[in-house]
Amino acid sequence: MTKNTILYVLLAFLIIANGFFLYDYLGKPDRNGPRNNPQQFIVKELNFNADQMQEFKGIGKNHRERMIQLNQEQKQLKDQLFSKISENNINPLEIERISSLIGENNKNKDLEVFNHFRAIQGICNDPQKQKFKKIVMDALHKGPAPRRGGPPEAN
């Protein structure tokens, strides 16, 4: 075989492999389960009527806007804190102040989520309230999905 034939076969193999990867990664529409779309899960489980859906959408929009704002503030505070990591003279009171602001921001995020859930519960009828309470409690006890890409374990 000539060098060019080997390269063409290898190139064809790589193109096909990339095609399968893209199809597998992007082409599957069933990846939006309840874990990926909690709004759809809640609507489906609680069987909201049209009026409830309208209110739910408004509640969700306000919640997303507020969470985006709080997450941006959190990022700015952490950038501010970790920008000081290379300074020769670190003021411990400044580090403590920024850390306290980060903690306050986390508190505000938790309160925002709590108030968001209270608002959703407010649009529910009595049977839906019971089911919603169970959904929230199950989610609390299950916890968030494990994070990937953490620091490597020490040997």
Side-chain angles (χ1 to χ4, degrees), residues 37-68:
N37 196 333
Q39 292 84 10
Q40 284 181 352
F41 176 75
I42 289 172
V43 167
K44 180 183 172 199
E45 289 295 311
L46 299 180
N47 197 24
F48 281 158
N49 63 34
D51 291 337
Q52 289 173 316
M53 279 298 301
Q54 276 302 111
E55 288 187 64
F56 181 71
K57 286 179 182 178
I59 291 168
K61 183 177 184 280
N62 292 339
H63 173 67
R64 278 188 300 281
E65 289 171 357
R66 181 72 176 129
M67 290 302 288
I68 287 170

Side-chain angles (χ1 to χ4, degrees), residues 35 44 56 72-73 77 84 88 96 105 126 147:
R35 192 172 207 61
K44 180 183 172 199
F56 181 71
Q72 287 172 343
E73 290 173 11
L77 288 168
K84 300 186 179 306
N88 290 331
E96 184 68 29
N105 184 275
D126 287 338
R147 288 181 54 182

Side-chain angles (χ1 to χ4, degrees), residues 66-111:
R66 181 72 176 129
M67 290 302 288
I68 287 170
Q69 177 188 0
L70 289 168
N71 285 331
Q72 287 172 343
E73 290 173 11
Q74 184 83 337
K75 183 184 179 317
Q76 290 170 350
L77 288 168
K78 287 188 176 187
D79 285 348
Q80 190 178 357
L81 177 66
F82 286 98
S83 70
K84 300 186 179 306
I85 203 162
S86 296
E87 291 182 7
N88 290 331
N89 296 321
I90 296 176
N91 181 351
L93 294 175
E94 178 69 6
I95 301 302
E96 184 68 29
R97 183 188 71 78
I98 297 170
S99 296
S100 294
L101 290 172
I102 291 171
E104 183 71 22
N105 184 275
N106 280 326
K107 178 184 106 176
N108 291 338
K109 286 167 55 174
D110 286 342
L111 288 172

